[in-house]
């Protein structure tokens, strides 16, 4: 079974493609019944239907190829609840030779162009009643700029933002907020001179209070009996304020810190003010709040450290021991902010260019749940920053931005399947029905989730449970339907419906084994492990992973009890222990030598990536280039390092070109520039070209590192290799070693076998 081909058709990856029929037997699988769903995955030949969907009157599922149709009486039976539904007049000519697109057996995924927002798909957002035909203004973009940035960095940042503003569609709404110790909200509608509203940065003000101070409160206007159409200049179409916002950005001034102190930054107050602007001026537009900062918040809500440099910023150890006095309060503030963002379909992006931490760990929750982007870089002058910012505002040859806002995903299941929750960039809307399990995992307690934005690669993990009340029959089929409603970049409402069918299978059935997708299973276990790190220490999470793997191996391995040498795993399961080995050593679980901000970034990225990207993060790829032949994949092992080869290492966040000592020496002597050594020149060019291709296709752009064997930068490669040769091993001449106390993959597997055969 080719799971990648199935994913290209459905946009789904199932760790188990057949499920046991009872709750107890499904619990024995260790990896829970689950689905990785990419809502907007590009699907070839996707039908785009110019009418509203036909929904079941009982369970709200949408007409799909698995529905039974009675052509004579013009009635269809819902495969989820078995309710019979009449076809409306528009389907009058339906017959087995005249089927609508949604009933074609090959169309498990279809997309509807909605004329309105059907009641069954409405979210809690104010955009739920959005009518594209009446839309005049586009989406909103508020730029929140740190005015305490170093001068050359500030200049580069302003140039990039000006470039972005120049590329925006004329109907896009823009706003500008800058901050230091105070928050400056710029009036872009006042052209006589620069005009700003100054807010105190050390106070946590409500949205209503901020709007009152700015004169944009609709409630205040109603009390005074004034017109509801607000005349304001804080959020205006680009066509009306391009000159003013350009001038305001160019005239932004810097604020320097006192000697021995950090600059005073009211980051949280500035973000709150930006949200209040959109809430007051364009509550139905959706949009992005883009924060550009070069240091931590030191005053007001969201503060994580004092200005005095004698107080160091919190570390993982401080967070665990309770010596981070501002962390919990900052997290609480940003969690409240995330609900405001979700209610108005707003995205929070963070671009942090600093050698120190900026408080990204505390800001992770609203960034992740809103679907925002987090970038941690060293400088605003880097190519990484420029490429990422321009990618966000990519139009791809169209007259609108390639952004989709105000998305909701609704899941409908057959009665034997219960929904535990979702892991990924979404928020639960707390809409319960009989399909919702009592057990909550991640964003649970609902059948509907909200996302402020959706990209084509955004991937959500849905965890399910086999019902204890309903007994499923083996060999029968169960169904799950995913309904994704979103506002397209052109302003129109769309609904993508994906319906999937899988079979119940007996616990010992070969179907269970044949349907195991070990790559999807590793991705699910990684997300579950990250979810556990929110409550448990990293060591406890590693113990949990180890226990799960032992149970899994004991369940699906073939062995003679108490004989480790007899242990075997079939090819369908053989790579899974290896994935778990590299996961437990990865920066997602083992936070040693990582700052909290870096850990937050890594976990946020893993939580939204699909199977392919996630696997590269868990178990990086390694290719070898030599004069003996074309590039070949090699083991992610220290033994792959040799003096006469070049290695190309891809861990998703870093791409490393590693030159063996001989190759590095030849390069240093300039042999590659000698026409008589053409082969060497081509050998050096090949990994450069492949590395460039890897870097180009990925957002955020990974850091490209070139290093020589035994060089300091080689640590990026050595840290992720299997330490099969260490300082404790018997050394062979010329072999590379890793100085570590970690066990190698071979020792790990031997211990696993010994524990698994104990039953």
């Amino acid at each position: 079974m080719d799971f990648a081909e199935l994913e290209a058709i459905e946009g789904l990856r199932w760790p188990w493609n057949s499920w046991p029929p009872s709750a107890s037997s499904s619990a024995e699988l260790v990896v829970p019944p689950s689905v990785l769903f990419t809502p907007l995955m590009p699907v070839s030949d996707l039908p785009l239907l110019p009418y509203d969907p036909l929904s079941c009157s009982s369970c709200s599922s949408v007409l799909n190829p698995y529905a039974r149709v009675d052509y004579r009486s013009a009635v269809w039976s819902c495969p989820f609840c078995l309710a019979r539904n009449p076809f409306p007049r528009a389907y009058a000519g339906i017959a087995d030779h005249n089927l609508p697109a949604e009933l074609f057996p090959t169309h498990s995924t279809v997309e509807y162009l909605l004329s309105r927002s059907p009641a069954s798909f409405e979210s809690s957002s104010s955009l739920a009643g959005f009518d594209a035909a009446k839309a005049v203004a586009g989406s909103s973009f508020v730029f929140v700029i740190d005015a305490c940035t170093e001068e050359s960095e500030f200049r580069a940042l302003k140039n990039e933002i000006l470039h972005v503003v120049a590329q925006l569609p004329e109907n896009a709404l823009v706003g500008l907020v800058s901050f230091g110790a105070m928050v400056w909200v710029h009036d872009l509608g006042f052209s006589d001179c620069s005009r700003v509203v100054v807010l105190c940065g050390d106070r946590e003000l409500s949205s209503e209070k901020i709007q009152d101070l700015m004169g944009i409160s609709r409630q205040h206007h109603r009390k005074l009996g004034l017109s509801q159409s607000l005349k304001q200049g804080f959020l205006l179409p680009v066509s009306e304020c391009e000159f003013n916002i350009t001038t305001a950005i160019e005239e932004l001034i810097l604020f320097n810190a006192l000697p021995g102190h950090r600059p005073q930054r009211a980051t949280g107050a500035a973000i709150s003010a930006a949200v209040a602007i959109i809430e007051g001026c364009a509550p139905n537009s959706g949009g992005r709040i883009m924060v550009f900062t070069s240091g931590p918040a030191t005053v007001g809500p969201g503060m994580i450290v004092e200005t005095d440099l004698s107080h160091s910023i919190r570390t993982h150890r401080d967070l665990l021991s309770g010596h981070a006095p501002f962390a919990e309060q900052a997290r609480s503030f940003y969690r409240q902010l995330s609900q405001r963002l979700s209610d108005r379909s707003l995205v929070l992006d963070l671009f942090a260019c600093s050698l120190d931490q900026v408080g990204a760990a505390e800001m992770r929750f609203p960034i992740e749940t809103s679907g925002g982007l987090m970038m941690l870089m060293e400088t605003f002058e880097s190519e990484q920053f420029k490429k990422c910012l321009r990618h966000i505002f990519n139009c791809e040859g169209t007259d609108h931005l390639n952004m989709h806002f105000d998305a909701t995903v609704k899941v409908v299941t057959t009665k034997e399947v219960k929904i535990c929750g979702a892991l990924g960039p979404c928020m639960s809307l707390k809409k319960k029905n009989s399909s919702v399990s009592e057990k909550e995992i991640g964003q649970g307690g609902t059948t509907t989730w909200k996302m402020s934005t959706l990209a084509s690669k955004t991937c959500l993990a849905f965890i399910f449970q086999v019902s204890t009340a309903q007994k499923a029959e083996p060999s029968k089929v169960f169904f799950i339907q995913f309904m994704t409603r979103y506002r397209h970049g052109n302003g129109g409402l769309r609904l993508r419906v994906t319906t999937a069918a899988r079979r119940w299978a007996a616990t010992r059935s070969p179907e269970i084994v044949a349907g195991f997708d070990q790559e999807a299973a590793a991705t699910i276990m990684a997300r579950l492990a990250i979810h556990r790190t929110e409550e448990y220490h990293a060591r406890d999470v590693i113990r949990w992973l180890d226990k799960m793997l032992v149970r899994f191996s004991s369940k699906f391995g073939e062995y003679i009890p108490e004989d480790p040498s007899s242990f075997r795993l079939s090819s369908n399961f053989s790579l899974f222990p290896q994935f778990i080995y590299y996961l437990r050593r990865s920066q997602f679980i083992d936070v040693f030598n990582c700052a909290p901000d870096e850990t937050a970034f890594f976990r946020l990225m893993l939580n939204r990536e699909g199977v392919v990207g996630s696997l590269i993060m868990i178990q990086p790829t390694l290719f070898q280039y030599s004069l003996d032949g074309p590039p070949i994949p090699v083991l992610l092992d220290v033994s792959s390092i040799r003096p006469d080869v070049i290695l190309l290492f891809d861990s998703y966040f870093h791409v490393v070109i590693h030159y063996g000592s001989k190759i590095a020496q030849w390069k240093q002597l300039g042999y590659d520039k000698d026409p008589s050594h053409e082969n060497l020149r081509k050998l050096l060019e090949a990994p450069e070209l492949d590395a460039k291709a890897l870097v180009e296709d990925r957002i955020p752009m990974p850091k490209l590192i070139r290093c020589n064997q035994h060089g300091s930068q080689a640590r990026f490669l050595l840290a992720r290799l299997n330490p099969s040769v260490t300082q404790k091993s018997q050394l062979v001449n010329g072999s590379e070693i890793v100085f570590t106390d970690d066990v190698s993959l071979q020792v790990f597997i031997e211990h696993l076998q010994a524990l698994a055969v104990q039953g």
Side-chain angles (χ1 to χ4, degrees):
M1 187 181 294
D2 194 325
F3 303 118
E5 285 183 12
L6 268 176
E7 184 183 22
I9 297 169
E10 299 177 328
L12 306 173
R13 285 289 286 265
W14 305 63
W16 302 102
N17 281 272
S18 297
W19 290 3
S22 68
S24 58
S25 54
S26 68
E28 291 174 6
L29 294 179
V30 181
V31 180
S34 47
V35 178
L36 287 154
F37 175 46
T38 307
L40 298 188
M41 173 175 276
V43 177
S44 58
D45 303 321
L46 177 68
L48 197 58
L49 311 180
Y51 49 84
D52 288 343
L54 192 58
S55 300
C56 173
S57 58
S58 177
C59 67
S60 301
S61 67
V62 170
L63 182 64
N64 59 78
Y66 302 104
R68 293 184 179 179
V69 180
D70 185 342
Y71 300 109
R72 186 172 298 176
S73 56
V75 170
W76 62 280
S77 295
C78 173
F80 294 90
C81 65
L82 307 180
R84 289 170 60 82
N85 301 275
F87 282 103
R89 290 183 181 179
Y91 289 76
I94 191 171
D96 56 358
H97 59 274
N98 184 29
L99 290 175
E102 59 264 44
L103 285 176
F104 274 40
T106 54
H107 291 169
S108 59
T109 299
V110 296
E111 190 156 316
Y112 296 90
L113 297 173
L114 302 178
S115 59
R116 55 189 174 79
S117 184
S120 56
F121 309 117
E122 284 183 4
S123 74
S124 63
S125 165
S126 60
L127 276 68
F130 178 85
D131 188 344
K134 295 178 182 177
V136 177
S139 301
S140 301
F141 301 95
V142 180
F143 301 99
V144 181
I145 301 175
D146 178 3
C148 303
T149 308
E150 195 268 330
E151 189 174 351
S152 61
E153 296 282 305
F154 201 49
R155 196 182 310 116
L157 172 59
K158 290 197 290 186
N159 288 338
E160 278 308 303
I161 294 176
L162 288 172
H163 179 271
V164 165
V165 170
Q167 303 300 316
L168 287 173
E170 290 194 348
N171 68 336
L173 301 172
V174 290
L176 179 64
V177 176
S178 57
F179 66 94
M182 311 291 278
V183 176
W184 291 269
V185 183
H186 297 256
D187 189 339
L188 305 177
F190 195 78
S191 55
D192 294 345
C193 64
S194 296
R195 182 172 181 264
V196 297
V197 172
V198 182
L199 302 173
C200 196
D202 60 359
R203 298 180 193 170
E204 185 176 344
L205 301 175
S206 67
S207 178
E208 293 76 16
K209 183 64 176 175
I210 294 171
Q211 291 171 31
D212 276 343
L213 293 170
M214 294 168 60
I216 57 173
S217 171
R218 295 175 185 272
Q219 188 176 1
H220 182 68
H221 275 61
R222 277 197 295 270
K223 285 180 182 177
L224 298 177
L226 300 175
S227 169
Q228 290 298 301
S229 56
L230 295 175
K231 187 175 181 182
Q232 51 80 29
F234 302 107
L235 194 67
L236 295 175
V238 172
S239 57
E240 295 180 22
C241 70
E242 186 169 4
F243 176 77
N244 286 356
I245 192 171
T246 301
T247 304
I249 292 171
E250 288 174 345
E251 292 179 350
L252 286 175
I253 56 174
L254 288 171
F255 295 90
N256 297 320
L258 295 171
H261 289 74
R262 297 181 179 87
Q264 290 188 310
R265 287 187 181 89
T267 313
I271 297 172
S272 183
V275 177
I277 291 171
I278 300 180
E279 288 173 331
C281 301
N284 299 334
S285 65
R288 306 186 87 99
I289 293 167
M290 312 187 78
V291 182
F292 304 88
T293 187
S294 58
T298 52
V299 294
M303 169 185 174
I304 63 161
V305 69
E306 294 180 30
T307 56
D308 193 336
L309 284 171
S310 63
H311 298 282
S312 60
I313 200 164
R314 80 281 179 275
T315 62
H316 277 296
R317 179 174 290 183
D318 294 331
L319 292 170
L320 287 170
S321 61
H323 293 152
F326 306 107
E328 193 54 47
Q329 197 172 353
R331 280 202 196 96
S332 176
F333 167 74
Y334 284 118
R335 280 186 174 272
Q336 292 172 17
L337 189 73
S338 65
Q339 188 60 56
R340 290 171 60 191
L341 292 168
S342 178
D343 290 344
R344 296 299 175 189
S345 294
L346 301 178
V347 183
L348 179 62
D349 298 310
L350 175 67
F351 298 88
C353 292
S354 172
L355 295 175
D356 199 358
Q357 298 185 73
V358 298
E362 286 75 13
M363 294 173 67
R364 176 189 157 192
F365 188 77
I367 294 171
E368 182 172 353
T369 55
S370 69
L373 199 63
M374 182 190 289
M375 282 204 69
L376 306 180
M377 299 155 292
E378 294 175 4
T379 169
F380 285 120
E381 296 173 305
S382 69
E383 197 59 36
Q384 283 178 292
F385 169 66
K386 294 175 183 177
K387 182 190 170 187
C388 183
L389 191 59
R390 294 180 187 188
H391 172 82
I392 293 175
F393 292 94
N394 188 13
C395 291
E396 293 186 357
T398 61
D399 58 350
H400 56 80
L401 295 171
N402 188 27
M403 293 184 193
H404 312 304
F405 292 108
D406 187 36
T408 56
V409 172
K410 182 176 181 180
V411 178
V412 180
T413 65
T414 43
K415 61 185 179 181
E416 301 90 356
V417 178
K418 302 295 182 186
I419 306 164
C420 294
L423 297 170
C426 60
M427 281 195 77
S428 168
L429 290 180
K430 300 298 179 184
K431 294 187 175 181
K432 277 194 173 185
N433 62 18
S434 57
S435 296
V436 177
S437 170
E438 292 299 316
K439 180 182 179 182
E440 285 193 24
I441 298 176
Q443 295 287 332
T446 187
T447 59
T448 311
W449 292 263
K450 175 71 185 291
M451 288 146 290
S452 296
T453 188
L454 267 183
S456 59
K457 292 185 178 181
T458 304
C459 181
L460 303 173
F462 290 95
I463 314 297
F464 298 94
Q465 186 180 44
V466 178
S467 173
T468 54
Q470 304 287 341
K471 182 74 173 176
E473 295 181 29
S475 79
K476 285 203 170 182
V477 175
F478 66 92
F479 304 96
I480 299 178
Q481 187 174 80
F482 299 89
M483 293 178 277
T484 308
R485 184 196 63 83
Y486 67 99
R487 181 153 64 86
H488 193 267
N490 62 13
L493 281 175
R494 295 193 179 187
L495 177 74
R496 183 178 290 202
V497 180
T498 298
T499 311
R502 292 296 187 271
R503 196 177 295 279
W504 298 111
T507 312
R508 297 289 179 183
S509 167
E511 279 188 62
I512 295 281
V513 176
F516 181 65
D517 181 350
Q518 46 195 340
E519 295 179 350
T523 305
I524 288 290
M525 292 303 287
R527 292 205 188 192
L528 287 170
I530 284 176
H531 177 61
R532 290 182 75 86
T533 59
E534 303 297 322
E535 298 178 22
Y536 299 97
H537 190 279
R539 289 174 190 162
D540 297 326
V541 176
I542 290 174
R543 285 194 198 99
W544 174 79
L545 280 171
D546 290 345
K547 287 177 182 176
M548 295 295 106
L549 185 57
V550 170
R551 282 179 53 208
F552 181 89
S553 301
S554 182
K555 169 78 175 174
F556 295 102
E558 298 172 4
Y559 55 87
I560 299 170
E562 306 297 335
D563 182 5
S565 62
S566 66
F567 183 87
R568 297 289 183 276
L569 276 174
S570 68
S571 58
N572 271 39
F573 300 107
S574 59
L575 292 177
F576 186 66
Q578 185 175 309
F579 292 146
I580 299 299
Y581 169 77
Y582 285 109
L583 171 63
R584 63 199 292 285
R585 292 187 75 229
S586 70
Q587 69 270 43
F588 305 109
I589 310 297
D590 185 2
V591 297
F592 176 76
N593 208 31
C594 275
D597 281 10
E598 292 175 302
T599 301
F601 168 68
F602 294 139
R603 290 174 178 172
L604 179 144
M605 291 304 300
L606 181 64
N607 257 348
R608 68 172 57 176
E609 267 298 319
V611 172
V612 174
S614 297
L615 273 184
I616 294 172
M617 296 181 198
I618 295 167
Q619 181 176 323
T621 60
L622 191 64
F623 279 82
Q624 174 187 292
Y625 298 75
S626 71
L627 293 169
D628 299 332
I632 56 170
V634 291
L635 293 174
L636 191 66
D637 193 287
V638 68
S639 62
S640 297
I641 298 178
R642 287 168 29 205
D644 58 346
V645 301
I646 302 173
L647 297 176
L648 178 62
F649 170 80
D650 178 17
S651 68
Y652 196 91
F653 305 108
H654 299 102
V655 174
V656 180
I657 302 175
H658 179 276
Y659 300 99
S661 55
K662 278 186 182 178
I663 301 284
Q665 189 177 11
W666 294 341
K667 188 181 175 187
Q668 189 176 5
L669 293 171
Y671 288 171
D672 56 309
K673 294 170 185 172
D674 187 339
S676 61
H677 293 97
E678 184 70 12
N679 285 349
L680 179 60
R681 185 184 64 80
K682 289 182 178 177
L683 175 65
L684 293 171
E685 280 181 356
E688 289 283 350
L689 293 172
D690 291 345
K692 187 178 178 182
L694 289 173
V695 168
E696 286 293 322
D697 293 342
R698 203 169 289 162
I699 297 294
M701 187 176 176
K703 186 175 182 180
L704 180 59
I705 299 165
R706 298 173 182 85
C707 63
N708 298 333
Q709 187 176 358
H710 310 305
S712 64
Q713 295 284 74
R715 68 185 186 276
F716 288 98
L717 171 63
L718 292 172
R720 300 301 300 275
L721 295 181
N722 170 36
S724 59
V725 184
T726 69
Q727 72 277 10
K728 299 176 183 176
S729 309
Q730 186 173 355
L731 302 181
V732 180
N733 287 337
S735 66
E736 184 72 64
I737 66 168
V738 176
F739 292 91
T740 182
D741 290 328
D742 281 358
V743 298
S744 66
L745 176 60
Q746 183 182 357
V747 173
F748 179 78
I749 295 297
E750 288 172 358
H751 278 76
L752 174 63
Q753 292 172 348
L755 292 169
V757 297
Q758 292 175 11

